[in-house]
Amino acid sequence: VEWAYSFDVHCNGFTSIMFYLYVGQMMLFPLYYSTGWNSYVSCIVGNSALLIALGYYHYIVFLGFGVLPFVSHSSVFLYPITIWFFLWITGFVGINFTYLTFWTIF
Protein backbone atom coordinates (compact mmCIF):
# COMPACT_ATOMS: atom_id res chain seq x y z
CA VAL A 1 0.00 0.00 0.00
CA GLU A 2 1.34 3.39 -0.91
CA TRP A 3 2.28 5.47 2.13
CA ALA A 4 0.35 8.52 0.92
CA TYR A 5 -2.88 6.51 0.76
CA SER A 6 -2.24 5.09 4.23
CA PHE A 7 -1.59 8.57 5.57
CA ASP A 8 -4.78 9.85 3.95
CA VAL A 9 -6.83 7.04 5.51
CA HIS A 10 -5.28 7.79 8.90
CA CYS A 11 -6.00 11.52 8.58
CA ASN A 12 -9.61 10.82 7.61
CA GLY A 13 -10.06 8.64 10.68
CA PHE A 14 -8.12 10.94 13.00
CA THR A 15 -10.41 13.84 12.18
CA SER A 16 -13.12 12.37 14.41
CA ILE A 17 -10.71 11.88 17.30
CA MET A 18 -9.26 15.35 16.85
CA PHE A 19 -12.70 16.92 16.81
CA TYR A 20 -13.68 15.03 19.94
CA LEU A 21 -10.47 15.51 21.92
CA TYR A 22 -9.67 19.09 21.01
CA VAL A 23 -13.13 20.61 20.57
CA GLY A 24 -15.85 18.50 22.11
CA GLN A 25 -14.00 17.34 25.20
CA MET A 26 -12.75 20.84 25.96
CA MET A 27 -16.26 22.29 25.76
CA LEU A 28 -17.89 19.46 27.70
CA PHE A 29 -15.18 19.02 30.32
CA PRO A 30 -17.27 20.50 33.16
CA LEU A 31 -19.90 17.86 32.39
CA TYR A 32 -17.35 15.03 32.17
CA TYR A 33 -15.52 16.01 35.35
CA SER A 34 -18.22 16.73 37.85
CA THR A 35 -18.00 15.72 41.46
CA GLY A 36 -20.68 14.74 43.87
CA TRP A 37 -23.69 12.57 43.25
CA ASN A 38 -23.45 12.64 39.44
CA SER A 39 -19.74 11.82 39.13
CA TYR A 40 -20.57 8.22 38.21
CA VAL A 41 -22.93 9.32 35.45
CA SER A 42 -20.42 11.83 34.09
CA CYS A 43 -17.77 9.11 34.08
CA ILE A 44 -19.97 6.80 32.01
CA VAL A 45 -21.00 9.59 29.60
CA GLY A 46 -17.41 10.72 29.08
CA ASN A 47 -16.09 7.20 28.60
CA SER A 48 -18.92 6.45 26.17
CA ALA A 49 -18.08 9.49 24.05
CA LEU A 50 -14.42 8.48 24.01
CA LEU A 51 -15.37 4.92 23.01
CA ILE A 52 -17.47 6.23 20.15
CA ALA A 53 -14.65 8.47 18.88
CA LEU A 54 -12.02 5.72 19.02
CA GLY A 55 -14.36 3.14 17.54
CA TYR A 56 -15.22 5.52 14.73
CA TYR A 57 -11.50 5.98 13.98
CA HIS A 58 -10.95 2.25 13.63
CA TYR A 59 -14.08 1.87 11.53
CA ILE A 60 -12.97 4.62 9.12
CA VAL A 61 -9.53 2.98 8.79
CA PHE A 62 -11.26 -0.35 8.12
CA LEU A 63 -13.37 1.22 5.38
CA GLY A 64 -10.34 2.94 3.85
CA PHE A 65 -8.30 -0.23 3.55
CA GLY A 66 -11.30 -2.45 2.82
CA VAL A 67 -11.83 -0.93 -0.62
CA LEU A 68 -8.40 -2.02 -1.82
CA PRO A 69 -8.70 -5.30 -3.73
CA PHE A 70 -5.27 -6.59 -2.75
CA VAL A 71 -5.67 -6.09 1.02
CA SER A 72 -6.97 -9.31 2.49
CA HIS A 73 -8.33 -9.62 6.02
CA SER A 74 -8.97 -5.93 6.47
CA SER A 75 -11.20 -6.82 9.41
CA VAL A 76 -8.02 -6.85 11.52
CA PHE A 77 -8.43 -3.09 11.75
CA LEU A 78 -11.64 -3.61 13.73
CA TYR A 79 -10.02 -5.72 16.47
CA PRO A 80 -8.90 -2.78 18.65
CA ILE A 81 -12.57 -1.85 19.12
CA THR A 82 -12.89 -4.85 21.46
CA ILE A 83 -10.00 -3.53 23.55
CA TRP A 84 -11.67 -0.11 23.78
CA PHE A 85 -14.94 -1.81 24.71
CA PHE A 86 -13.34 -3.73 27.58
CA LEU A 87 -11.69 -0.54 28.80
CA TRP A 88 -15.10 1.12 28.64
CA ILE A 89 -16.49 -1.64 30.85
CA THR A 90 -13.74 -0.94 33.39
CA GLY A 91 -15.10 2.59 33.47
CA PHE A 92 -18.07 1.26 35.42
CA VAL A 93 -15.68 0.87 38.34
CA GLY A 94 -15.14 4.63 38.29
CA ILE A 95 -12.06 5.13 36.10
CA ASN A 96 -12.67 8.30 34.10
CA PHE A 97 -10.64 7.92 30.90
CA THR A 98 -11.89 11.27 29.64
CA TYR A 99 -10.27 12.97 32.61
CA LEU A 100 -7.03 11.06 32.01
CA THR A 101 -6.89 11.94 28.31
CA PHE A 102 -7.69 15.58 29.06
CA TRP A 103 -4.76 15.96 31.42
CA THR A 104 -2.47 13.97 29.11
CA ILE A 105 -3.19 16.19 26.11
CA PHE A 106 -3.54 19.56 27.78
Side-chain angles (χ1 to χ4, degrees), residues 1 6-7 11 14 26 29 37 47 49-50 64 70-71 73-74 80 96-97 100 103:
V1 178
S6 300
F7 183 70
C11 288
F14 189 72
M26 188 70 164
F29 186 70
W37 63 272
N47 289 346
L50 190 61
F70 54 86
V71 175
H73 307 293
S74 62
N96 195 345
F97 291 110
L100 295 174
W103 290 112

mmCIF file of all heavy atoms in Angstrom, residues 1 6-7 11 14 26 29 37 47 49-50 64 70-71 73-74 80 96-97 100 103:
data_model
loop_
_atom_site.group_PDB
_atom_site.id
_atom_site.type_symbol
_atom_site.label_atom_id
_atom_site.label_comp_id
_atom_site.label_asym_id
_atom_site.label_seq_id
_atom_site.Cartn_x
_atom_site.Cartn_y
_atom_site.Cartn_z
ATOM 1 N N VAL A 1 0.850 -1.170 0.000
ATOM 2 C CA VAL A 1 0.000 0.000 0.000
ATOM 3 C C VAL A 1 0.897 1.234 0.000
ATOM 4 O O VAL A 1 1.866 1.310 0.744
ATOM 5 C CB VAL A 1 -0.928 0.012 1.234
ATOM 6 C CG1 VAL A 1 -1.783 1.257 1.270
ATOM 7 C CG2 VAL A 1 -1.794 -1.218 1.270
ATOM 8 N N SER A 6 -2.121 5.466 2.817
ATOM 9 C CA SER A 6 -2.242 5.094 4.228
ATOM 10 C C SER A 6 -2.334 6.328 5.114
ATOM 11 O O SER A 6 -3.116 6.362 6.073
ATOM 12 C CB SER A 6 -1.049 4.248 4.653
ATOM 13 O OG SER A 6 -0.975 3.080 3.906
ATOM 14 N N PHE A 7 -1.541 7.335 4.797
ATOM 15 C CA PHE A 7 -1.587 8.572 5.575
ATOM 16 C C PHE A 7 -2.929 9.272 5.400
ATOM 17 O O PHE A 7 -3.475 9.826 6.361
ATOM 18 C CB PHE A 7 -0.445 9.497 5.155
ATOM 19 C CG PHE A 7 -0.377 10.763 5.941
ATOM 20 C CD1 PHE A 7 -0.002 10.753 7.270
ATOM 21 C CD2 PHE A 7 -0.707 11.972 5.346
ATOM 22 C CE1 PHE A 7 0.058 11.927 8.003
ATOM 23 C CE2 PHE A 7 -0.658 13.147 6.061
ATOM 24 C CZ PHE A 7 -0.272 13.130 7.407
ATOM 25 N N CYS A 11 -5.527 10.145 8.346
ATOM 26 C CA CYS A 11 -5.999 11.518 8.581
ATOM 27 C C CYS A 11 -7.518 11.599 8.544
ATOM 28 O O CYS A 11 -8.120 12.341 9.330
ATOM 29 C CB CYS A 11 -5.391 12.472 7.562
ATOM 30 S SG CYS A 11 -3.654 12.784 7.843
ATOM 31 N N PHE A 14 -8.559 10.139 11.849
ATOM 32 C CA PHE A 14 -8.125 10.935 13.000
ATOM 33 C C PHE A 14 -8.928 12.217 13.151
ATOM 34 O O PHE A 14 -8.944 12.806 14.236
ATOM 35 C CB PHE A 14 -6.638 11.262 12.871
ATOM 36 C CG PHE A 14 -6.059 11.893 14.092
ATOM 37 C CD1 PHE A 14 -5.866 11.145 15.237
ATOM 38 C CD2 PHE A 14 -5.721 13.227 14.099
ATOM 39 C CE1 PHE A 14 -5.340 11.714 16.374
ATOM 40 C CE2 PHE A 14 -5.192 13.813 15.221
ATOM 41 C CZ PHE A 14 -4.996 13.054 16.364
ATOM 42 N N MET A 26 -13.074 19.584 25.293
ATOM 43 C CA MET A 26 -12.755 20.839 25.964
ATOM 44 C C MET A 26 -14.017 21.596 26.349
ATOM 45 O O MET A 26 -14.097 22.166 27.431
ATOM 46 C CB MET A 26 -11.881 21.698 25.040
ATOM 47 C CG MET A 26 -11.351 22.914 25.687
ATOM 48 S SD MET A 26 -10.126 22.447 26.890
ATOM 49 C CE MET A 26 -9.330 23.986 27.148
ATOM 50 N N PHE A 29 -15.946 19.494 29.181
ATOM 51 C CA PHE A 29 -15.175 19.025 30.323
ATOM 52 C C PHE A 29 -15.869 19.257 31.659
ATOM 53 O O PHE A 29 -15.787 18.397 32.536
ATOM 54 C CB PHE A 29 -13.784 19.657 30.321
ATOM 55 C CG PHE A 29 -12.901 19.104 31.397
ATOM 56 C CD1 PHE A 29 -12.431 17.804 31.296
ATOM 57 C CD2 PHE A 29 -12.561 19.856 32.499
ATOM 58 C CE1 PHE A 29 -11.623 17.283 32.275
ATOM 59 C CE2 PHE A 29 -11.763 19.338 33.475
ATOM 60 C CZ PHE A 29 -11.281 18.043 33.369
ATOM 61 N N TRP A 37 -22.791 13.701 43.492
ATOM 62 C CA TRP A 37 -23.693 12.572 43.247
ATOM 63 C C TRP A 37 -23.704 12.136 41.791
ATOM 64 O O TRP A 37 -23.995 10.991 41.489
ATOM 65 C CB TRP A 37 -25.105 12.921 43.690
ATOM 66 C CG TRP A 37 -25.697 14.062 42.917
ATOM 67 C CD1 TRP A 37 -25.586 15.388 43.199
ATOM 68 C CD2 TRP A 37 -26.473 13.968 41.731
ATOM 69 N NE1 TRP A 37 -26.229 16.129 42.258
ATOM 70 C CE2 TRP A 37 -26.803 15.283 41.336
ATOM 71 C CE3 TRP A 37 -26.931 12.912 40.956
ATOM 72 C CZ2 TRP A 37 -27.549 15.558 40.215
ATOM 73 C CZ3 TRP A 37 -27.687 13.195 39.836
ATOM 74 C CH2 TRP A 37 -27.992 14.505 39.473
ATOM 75 N N ASN A 47 -16.718 8.407 29.156
ATOM 76 C CA ASN A 47 -16.087 7.205 28.604
ATOM 77 C C ASN A 47 -16.833 6.704 27.370
ATOM 78 O O ASN A 47 -16.217 6.183 26.439
ATOM 79 C CB ASN A 47 -16.018 6.101 29.654
ATOM 80 C CG ASN A 47 -14.997 6.403 30.733
ATOM 81 O OD1 ASN A 47 -14.172 7.279 30.589
ATOM 82 N ND2 ASN A 47 -15.064 5.666 31.819
ATOM 83 N N ALA A 49 -18.440 8.604 25.166
ATOM 84 C CA ALA A 49 -18.081 9.487 24.054
ATOM 85 C C ALA A 49 -16.681 9.171 23.534
ATOM 86 O O ALA A 49 -16.439 9.185 22.320
ATOM 87 C CB ALA A 49 -18.172 10.940 24.496
ATOM 88 N N LEU A 50 -15.766 8.850 24.433
ATOM 89 C CA LEU A 50 -14.419 8.478 24.009
ATOM 90 C C LEU A 50 -14.427 7.146 23.262
ATOM 91 O O LEU A 50 -13.724 6.983 22.265
ATOM 92 C CB LEU A 50 -13.502 8.398 25.224
ATOM 93 C CG LEU A 50 -12.016 8.243 24.963
ATOM 94 C CD1 LEU A 50 -11.485 9.424 24.172
ATOM 95 C CD2 LEU A 50 -11.276 8.107 26.268
ATOM 96 N N GLY A 64 -11.354 2.444 4.785
ATOM 97 C CA GLY A 64 -10.344 2.936 3.854
ATOM 98 C C GLY A 64 -9.508 1.835 3.254
ATOM 99 O O GLY A 64 -9.210 1.842 2.059
ATOM 100 N N PHE A 70 -6.390 -5.723 -3.085
ATOM 101 C CA PHE A 70 -5.265 -6.589 -2.747
ATOM 102 C C PHE A 70 -5.009 -6.689 -1.249
ATOM 103 O O PHE A 70 -4.106 -7.400 -0.818
ATOM 104 C CB PHE A 70 -3.985 -6.135 -3.462
ATOM 105 C CG PHE A 70 -3.660 -4.692 -3.231
ATOM 106 C CD1 PHE A 70 -2.930 -4.299 -2.126
ATOM 107 C CD2 PHE A 70 -4.086 -3.736 -4.136
ATOM 108 C CE1 PHE A 70 -2.629 -2.969 -1.920
ATOM 109 C CE2 PHE A 70 -3.790 -2.404 -3.939
ATOM 110 C CZ PHE A 70 -3.062 -2.017 -2.826
ATOM 111 N N VAL A 71 -5.792 -5.987 -0.430
ATOM 112 C CA VAL A 71 -5.666 -6.095 1.024
ATOM 113 C C VAL A 71 -6.650 -7.148 1.499
ATOM 114 O O VAL A 71 -7.861 -6.979 1.413
ATOM 115 C CB VAL A 71 -5.938 -4.740 1.716
ATOM 116 C CG1 VAL A 71 -5.921 -4.901 3.215
ATOM 117 C CG2 VAL A 71 -4.923 -3.708 1.278
ATOM 118 N N HIS A 73 -8.103 -9.639 4.569
ATOM 119 C CA HIS A 73 -8.326 -9.625 6.016
ATOM 120 C C HIS A 73 -8.260 -8.208 6.581
ATOM 121 O O HIS A 73 -7.582 -7.940 7.571
ATOM 122 C CB HIS A 73 -7.318 -10.513 6.751
ATOM 123 C CG HIS A 73 -7.265 -11.903 6.226
ATOM 124 N ND1 HIS A 73 -8.325 -12.776 6.353
ATOM 125 C CD2 HIS A 73 -6.297 -12.574 5.563
ATOM 126 C CE1 HIS A 73 -7.995 -13.929 5.799
ATOM 127 N NE2 HIS A 73 -6.776 -13.834 5.293
ATOM 128 N N SER A 74 -8.952 -7.302 5.960
ATOM 129 C CA SER A 74 -8.970 -5.928 6.465
ATOM 130 C C SER A 74 -9.765 -5.797 7.759
ATOM 131 O O SER A 74 -9.719 -4.757 8.406
ATOM 132 C CB SER A 74 -9.537 -4.980 5.413
ATOM 133 O OG SER A 74 -10.877 -5.320 5.121
ATOM 134 N N PRO A 80 -9.104 -3.645 17.491
ATOM 135 C CA PRO A 80 -8.900 -2.775 18.655
ATOM 136 C C PRO A 80 -10.199 -2.251 19.274
ATOM 137 O O PRO A 80 -10.188 -1.813 20.429
ATOM 138 C CB PRO A 80 -8.063 -1.619 18.104
ATOM 139 C CG PRO A 80 -7.360 -2.198 16.939
ATOM 140 C CD PRO A 80 -8.322 -3.183 16.342
ATOM 141 N N ASN A 96 -12.227 7.322 35.082
ATOM 142 C CA ASN A 96 -12.674 8.296 34.099
ATOM 143 C C ASN A 96 -11.564 8.510 33.070
ATOM 144 O O ASN A 96 -10.634 9.277 33.295
ATOM 145 C CB ASN A 96 -13.039 9.613 34.786
ATOM 146 C CG ASN A 96 -13.833 10.514 33.901
ATOM 147 O OD1 ASN A 96 -13.898 10.310 32.702
ATOM 148 N ND2 ASN A 96 -14.449 11.516 34.493
ATOM 149 N N PHE A 97 -11.663 7.816 31.937
ATOM 150 C CA PHE A 97 -10.640 7.922 30.902
ATOM 151 C C PHE A 97 -10.669 9.282 30.221
ATOM 152 O O PHE A 97 -9.660 9.730 29.700
ATOM 153 C CB PHE A 97 -10.806 6.811 29.867
ATOM 154 C CG PHE A 97 -10.488 5.449 30.415
ATOM 155 C CD1 PHE A 97 -11.487 4.516 30.617
ATOM 156 C CD2 PHE A 97 -9.200 5.117 30.741
ATOM 157 C CE1 PHE A 97 -11.198 3.270 31.123
ATOM 158 C CE2 PHE A 97 -8.890 3.873 31.251
ATOM 159 C CZ PHE A 97 -9.898 2.949 31.446
ATOM 160 N N LEU A 100 -8.436 11.418 32.236
ATOM 161 C CA LEU A 100 -7.034 11.062 32.005
ATOM 162 C C LEU A 100 -6.523 11.572 30.660
ATOM 163 O O LEU A 100 -5.407 12.082 30.573
ATOM 164 C CB LEU A 100 -6.861 9.544 32.092
ATOM 165 C CG LEU A 100 -7.113 8.907 33.456
ATOM 166 C CD1 LEU A 100 -7.049 7.399 33.359
ATOM 167 C CD2 LEU A 100 -6.114 9.422 34.464
ATOM 168 N N TRP A 103 -5.984 15.491 30.773
ATOM 169 C CA TRP A 103 -4.756 15.960 31.415
ATOM 170 C C TRP A 103 -3.507 15.444 30.708
ATOM 171 O O TRP A 103 -2.436 16.008 30.882
ATOM 172 C CB TRP A 103 -4.758 15.576 32.884
ATOM 173 C CG TRP A 103 -5.773 16.380 33.621
ATOM 174 C CD1 TRP A 103 -6.920 15.930 34.187
ATOM 175 C CD2 TRP A 103 -5.764 17.799 33.800
ATOM 176 N NE1 TRP A 103 -7.624 16.973 34.721
ATOM 177 C CE2 TRP A 103 -6.936 18.144 34.498
ATOM 178 C CE3 TRP A 103 -4.891 18.823 33.458
ATOM 179 C CZ2 TRP A 103 -7.256 19.437 34.855
ATOM 180 C CZ3 TRP A 103 -5.214 20.117 33.808
ATOM 181 C CH2 TRP A 103 -6.368 20.412 34.500
#
